[in-house]
Amino acid sequence: MTRARMPHPLTARRALAGALVLAAVALAIRPSPTDTSVPVLVAARPLAPGVALAAPDVKVVRAPPDLRPPAALSDPGQAVARVPAGAIGEGEAITQVRLVGADNLAATVGPDGAAVPVRLSDDGVADLLYPGVLVDVITSERVVLARDAAVLTVRPSDAGALVLLALPRSEAAEVAAAALRDPVAVTLR
């Protein structure tokens, strides 16, 4: 009986190395798959509502098109100097509707509306407010200046919280004038 002859280990290693080199060359010259991802602007860190965004606050990432939210921004220039209407978490996509700015403020208040900044007589009430909540605006003499004003944003400051309200033009001037004289109060609807 004759035994089958085994290939020399060095020959087997050379054959395997040659096969791996050929596979590497084939992969290198193969056309790469087309990148179908799209740019999406996300928060680079947690963003507070009412604070204007700067370039370091946002970054562009690539994502599959089906994961891109509707109205998502893709360029940092679209967000810089605009104000988040609510808190935005780190890595969260930034969309057009999440930001308050000149280009969407008019759409928020409507053609017959105005955005009116007011200071509240009680800063603690500002902590209860968020974009979209409806409030009535009241003077210290218990006079109702406006009903169903929509909160656009709340911005804390050393002089007391500044609340931006969407009001019909017919009520906006009276509320603005009253807020210049004295802080006003709001009741939540």
Side-chain angles (χ1 to χ4, degrees):
M1 234 187 201
T2 37
R3 288 172 77 191
R5 198 166 160 199
M6 298 291 285
H8 192 274
L10 185 59
T11 306
R13 284 187 201 153
R14 285 183 182 163
L16 180 58
L20 289 173
V21 167
L22 287 175
V25 169
L27 287 173
I29 63 173
R30 184 183 93 197
S32 64
T34 56
D35 182 13
T36 60
S37 66
V38 294
V40 178
L41 194 66
V42 300
R45 60 181 184 78
L47 304 174
V51 179
L53 299 178
D57 295 329
V58 297
K59 65 181 179 181
V60 176
V61 298
R62 303 217 41 104
D66 56 334
L67 293 182
R68 185 178 192 267
L73 303 179
S74 59
D75 177 19
Q78 296 172 297
V80 170
R82 303 220 9 231
V83 177
I88 300 175
E90 183 175 348
E92 185 178 338
I94 299 175
T95 62
Q96 182 73 17
V97 296
R98 298 291 311 271
L99 301 177
V100 176
D103 57 346
N104 70 341
L105 189 56
T108 303
V109 298
D112 296 324
V116 180
V118 298
R119 294 219 185 268
L120 301 181
S121 56
D122 182 353
D123 279 341
V125 174
D127 294 336
L128 303 173
L129 302 179
Y130 54 90
V133 71
L134 298 179
V135 298
D136 292 344
V137 182
I138 304 167
T139 68
S140 59
E141 294 84 31
R142 295 181 284 188
V143 175
V144 177
L145 298 172
R147 294 191 186 280
D148 296 326
V151 173
L152 296 174
T153 190
V154 179
R155 188 171 196 169
S157 76
D158 293 336
L162 187 64
V163 179
L164 190 61
L165 301 172
L167 291 165
R169 286 190 190 276
S170 60
E171 297 173 337
E174 186 175 352
V175 170
L180 284 175
R181 288 189 302 274
D182 292 306
V184 296
V186 296
T187 59
L188 284 74
R189 302 292 290 196

